[in-house]
Amino acid sequence: ALFRLLFDYGWLKGAPVYVASLDPHGALNAWDATVGAVTALAVMFLTLHLDLWPMTQSPRLMKQPLLGLVWTTGAVALGGVLYYLGTRTFGMTPPDFLVAVPVPFIFGTVVLLNMLQGSLFAGLPRPAKGVASSVAAMVLGTVLALLYRLLMPVVTGDLGSGPPTFDAELWLANALLAVTFPFLAFHGDYFQLWPLAAPGAPAAVDDDAGLAASGR
C-alpha cells in the first residue's frame, strides 16, 4: 500500500529501465520515499538506544496499540524533519544522505544492540546510557562505512559515485544492510555469536522486536 501511495518513478522517464505500467505514480519522488523511510527507521532505532524514553515516562502510553501508533508517528515525523534538513537545507542528494546518516547509524545500532546485546554502556544511568550508545553507533557505523568504501574496489571494482546512477552509494547501502546484516543475523541465530559470545550468553536476534528487547 505504501509503495502504491507514495512512490513515483517519473524522473526515470526516457531511461531504458523505465516501464510506465510498473510505475505506481505515487505522491513522492521514489528517492524521497525510500530514504525518508530509512531515516524514519533510524529514528526508531534511536529510541531503542534510549530504552523507549521518553515514552516510558507514561505508563498509559506504553500499552498497545497506542505505543505503536505514537512510536511510528513520532519516528516518521522526526525522520521527515531530519531528511528535509539534510537534503533541502544542507543540499545533500538523497543517496548521499542515505549513506552518510541513516544507514551507518542503523548498522552501528545492529552491532551495539544486536551483536553486543547493549552491554557497552550498561553501567550508565538513563538517559546518559542511551545518548552514549547512540553516539557510539553513529561513530562505529560511519567508520565501518568508510572501511567498506575502501574495500569496494577490491570486492566489486571501481564504481561511479554521484549522479545520475549513484552506483557507489547504492553498493554501500546494500553492502551494509542488505548483505552484512543478514549475515550477522545468521551468525546470531545459528551460532549464538560463537566464538564471540561467552558460553550460555543469550543469542542475538534478527528483527526489530529482538532489538527492542535487547535495548531494554
Side-chain angles (χ1 to χ4, degrees):
L2 291 173
F3 178 71
R4 293 290 180 183
L5 290 172
L6 300 179
F7 284 72
D8 176 61
Y9 291 88
W11 49 276
L12 276 174
K13 286 180 180 178
V17 297
Y18 183 75
V19 180
S21 61
L22 298 180
D23 188 348
H25 302 290
L28 300 174
N29 178 293
W31 271 121
D32 288 336
T34 299
V35 183
V38 176
T39 307
L41 179 61
V43 173
M44 295 191 78
F45 277 28
L46 172 64
T47 60
L48 298 181
H49 287 282
L50 298 170
D51 297 328
L52 303 189
W53 181 89
M55 293 181 289
T56 51
Q57 301 301 109
S58 172
R60 179 173 173 270
L61 185 60
M62 292 301 294
K63 297 179 180 179
Q64 297 291 8
L66 185 60
L67 174 62
L69 293 172
V70 172
W71 192 0
T72 302
T73 302
V76 171
L78 183 54
V81 170
L82 293 173
Y83 178 68
Y84 183 88
L85 289 174
T87 59
R88 271 52 171 188
T89 303
F90 295 104
M92 300 175 70
T93 65
D96 284 331
F97 181 84
L98 176 69
V99 297
V101 181
V103 165
F105 181 75
I106 291 172
F107 191 66
T109 297
V110 169
V111 174
L112 263 70
L113 298 189
N114 188 286
M115 302 299 290
L116 299 181
Q117 296 289 294
S119 62
L120 193 59
F121 301 101
L124 292 178
R126 286 187 253 179
K129 169 190 169 186
V131 173
S133 182
S134 301
V135 172
M138 190 71 234
V139 172
L140 177 61
T142 300
V143 170
L144 290 172
L146 291 173
L147 176 62
Y148 272 54
R149 278 190 182 272
L150 293 175
L151 291 174
M152 185 191 308
V154 178
V155 176
T156 310
D158 289 322
L159 296 174
S161 181
T165 58
F166 295 100
D167 289 337
E169 289 78 12
L170 290 173
W171 183 92
L172 181 59
N174 281 283
L176 287 169
L177 295 188
V179 177
T180 309
F181 179 35
F183 173 78
L184 295 178
F186 179 87
H187 184 206
D189 285 343
Y190 290 94
F191 292 92
Q192 281 72 56
L193 302 182
W194 178 89
L196 301 177
V205 288
D206 64 347
D207 56 14
D208 295 353
L211 282 170
S214 65
R216 294 192 192 100

